């Protein structure tokens, strides 16, 4: 019997996992600077939370959720995204009692039953943030800026920010009518997906990649915004400009989740096959109350980590080597081997990344191993050196070798 991973899942092996650690480290570091604090919520929640939170007519709820009945006959769902769970936790733990805005972040796996392809998985990982408790457009801009900073600081180039306002539910309802007037005569020309979407969610039709040619002259939601929506949108743009964050307006941008109001945005970049969206988010002023909490506005984002890493590879971004070894101890002989056990442990306690041989290999094989691990130094210990209390320290980059006292090895390496 041979087992294989399920379609759309991935093993992240040593060699690749260092990239993940690097990217996650950047995310945490940036959150610290922006004063977002980590929240960890369960990987599964009640199915109803996502039906209500994400929206009944979304692709996610209609066809992508991993839903199961547990042994207690509850319907549970593996989280397809992070926002609903965080908002549930915010309400359940009464974080709204906090006088400050709740600024939260998470990094972890999400699950969607999608057709697997490059950049699209069934288990994927998001870095997400949610700021709950303020309507100030400055915080929409701060969220957008945080995502932009993340992409820039991990080393990605040419990431674009696309921005739109999807207004309030009332604005959207009015716009929907205008849009249907435009789309109805074209019904037959549209692709199958759009034909089935047109009555349920005509705004998403405009986002279709296949049918763009038919949308020339389509009405823009931005012309339907009321005064309040307009003022909010203008202020978001102004804050972005003040911070020097570049953005483009895309009045056809709609997100795949139902909870958005006002600000909606996406980060886009080329290089992952047909996929160009690498992250997105927006404001959700009705969500907290929709799932049973008080009227509290929120805004957040979710950035796909697989897509981030695929792009880093595609752009051949140089990353710091997180796995380099400081010193490889080559021990030759029984007494030296025993000393190596002690010495390697001592070095590690003192903060040195140290490795040794465990297979009784000859000197040449041990040196090759040191090379493979990218050791900056090798330290060669034979029984003769041991008697003198010395070890031969070789700088691998310079190719220089000299004798140092064993007790001074840590100090030498740190110098
Ligand atoms: P989303 O647009 O559904 O938003 O997902 C955000 C990001 O997750 C996408 O841009 C993409 O990078 C990544 N992603 C989504 N599905 C997959 C997949 N099947 N495989 C690989 N990557 C994927 C949300 O999830 C919202 N919760 C974001 C948000 C937070 N809005 C407000 N707060």
């Amino acid at each position: 019997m041979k087992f294989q991973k399920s379609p759309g899942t991935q093993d992240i092996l040593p060699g690749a996992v260092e990239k993940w650690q690097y990217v996650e480290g950047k995310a945490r570091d940036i959150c610290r600077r922006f004063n977002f604090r980590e929240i960890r919520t369960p990987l599964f929640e009640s199915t109803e939370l996502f039906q209500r939170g994400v929206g009944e007519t979304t692709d996610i709820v209609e066809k992508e959720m991993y839903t199961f009945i547990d042994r207690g006959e509850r319907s549970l769902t593996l989280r397809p995204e992070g926002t609903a769970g965080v908002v549930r936790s915010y309400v359940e733990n009464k974080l709204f009692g906090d006088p400050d805005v709740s600024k939260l972040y998470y990094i972890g796996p999400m699950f969607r039953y999608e057709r697997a392809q490059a950049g699209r998985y069934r288990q994927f990982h998001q870095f997400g943030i949610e700021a709950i408790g303020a309507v100030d457009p400055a915080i929409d801009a701060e969220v957008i800026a945080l995502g932009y900073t993340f992409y820039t600081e991990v080393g990605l180039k040419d990431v674009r920010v696309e921005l739109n306002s999807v207004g309030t539910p009332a604005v959207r309802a009015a716009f929907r009518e205008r849009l249907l007037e435009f789309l109805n005569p074209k019904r037959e020309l549209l692709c199958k997906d759009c034909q089935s979407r047109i009555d349920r969610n005509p705004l998403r039709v405009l986002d279709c990649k296949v049918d763009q040619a038919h949308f020339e002259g389509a009405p823009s939601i931005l012309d339907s915004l009321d005064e309040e929506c307009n003022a909010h949108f203008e202020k978001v743009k102004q804050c972005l400009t003040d911070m020097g964050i570049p953005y483009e307006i895309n009045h056809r941008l709609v997100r795949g989740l139902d909870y958005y109001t006002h600000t909606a945005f996406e980060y886009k970049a080329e290089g992952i096959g047909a996929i160009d969206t690498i992250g997105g988010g927006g404001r959700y002023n009705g969500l907290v109350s929709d799932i049973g909490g008080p009227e509290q506005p929120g805004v957040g984002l979710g950035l796909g980590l697989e897509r981030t890493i695929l792009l880093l590879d595609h752009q051949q971004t140089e990353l710091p080597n997180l796995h380099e070894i400081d010193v490889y101890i080559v021990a030759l002989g029984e007494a030296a081997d025993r000393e190596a056990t002690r010495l390697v442990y001592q070095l590690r306690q003192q903060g040195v990344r140290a490795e040794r041989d465990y297979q009784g290999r000859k000197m040449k094989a041990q040196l090759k191993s040191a090379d493979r691990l990218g050791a900056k130094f090798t330290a060669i210990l034979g029984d003769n050196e041991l008697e003198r209390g010395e070890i031969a320290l070789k700088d691998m980059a310079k190719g220089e070798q000299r004798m140092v006292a064993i007790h001074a090895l840590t100090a030498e390496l740190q110098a």
Side-chain angles (χ1 to χ4, degrees), residues 177-316:
E177 295 311 310
R178 280 187 63 198
L179 187 58
L180 280 174
E181 270 171 42
F182 173 83
L183 289 175
N184 270 330
K186 302 186 194 299
R187 227 171 237 270
E188 303 306 313
L189 304 171
L190 303 179
C191 74
K192 275 218 168 63
D193 273 351
C194 285
Q195 290 188 3
S196 84
R197 225 175 235 158
I198 196 165
D199 295 307
R200 283 178 299 134
N201 197 346
L203 273 71
R204 294 234 31 219
V205 170
L206 288 185
D207 208 28
C208 173
K209 284 209 170 77
V210 192
D211 289 333
Q212 283 306 318
H214 304 301
F215 301 149
E216 192 91 16
S220 159
I221 189 161
L222 296 177
D223 297 329
S224 296
L225 296 184
D226 61 20
E227 215 171 298
E228 180 217 338
C229 293
N230 248 325
H232 189 94
F233 193 45
E234 288 306 314
K235 185 86 191 295
V236 173
K237 290 190 278 183
Q238 186 192 55
C239 292
L240 288 172
T241 304
D242 290 347
M243 286 186 284
I245 309 289
Y247 63 88
E248 299 151 35
I249 303 295
N250 174 2
H251 70 85
R252 290 183 184 166
L253 182 113
V254 261
R255 309 260 309 122
L257 303 95
D258 276 354
Y259 46 62
Y260 293 108
T261 58
H262 299 282
T263 315
F265 59 90
E266 280 182 347
Y267 302 94
K268 295 197 173 170
E270 313 308 320
I272 320 178
I275 289 172
D276 62 356
T277 301
I278 55 174
R283 178 164 278 284
Y284 45 85
N285 285 353
L287 180 59
V288 181
S289 58
D290 278 353
I291 66 166
E295 284 292 335
Q296 286 283 355
V299 55
L301 58 69
L303 311 181
L305 295 186
E306 282 79 3
R307 292 182 189 182
T308 303
I309 287 166
L310 281 168
L311 267 185
L312 285 170
D313 288 345
H314 176 76
Q315 297 188 358
Q316 301 181 328

Side-chain angles (χ1 to χ4, degrees), residues 7-58:
T9 66
Q10 282 186 298
D11 297 314
I12 305 172
L13 302 176
V17 82
E18 288 79 13
K19 291 182 205 170
W20 285 80
Q21 292 168 343
Y22 166 75
V23 163
E24 290 166 1
K26 280 282 178 210
R28 290 181 194 285
D29 176 45
I30 290 165
C31 282
R32 217 171 293 128
R33 279 182 270 150
F34 279 69
N35 187 35
F36 280 77
R37 296 175 75 181
E38 186 174 5
I39 182 167
R40 301 189 186 192
T41 62
L43 295 196
F44 58 83
E45 300 267 359
S46 77
T47 301
E48 210 187 332
L49 173 69
F50 300 114
Q51 289 168 338
R52 288 241 213 139
V54 175
E56 294 277 11
T57 66
T58 58

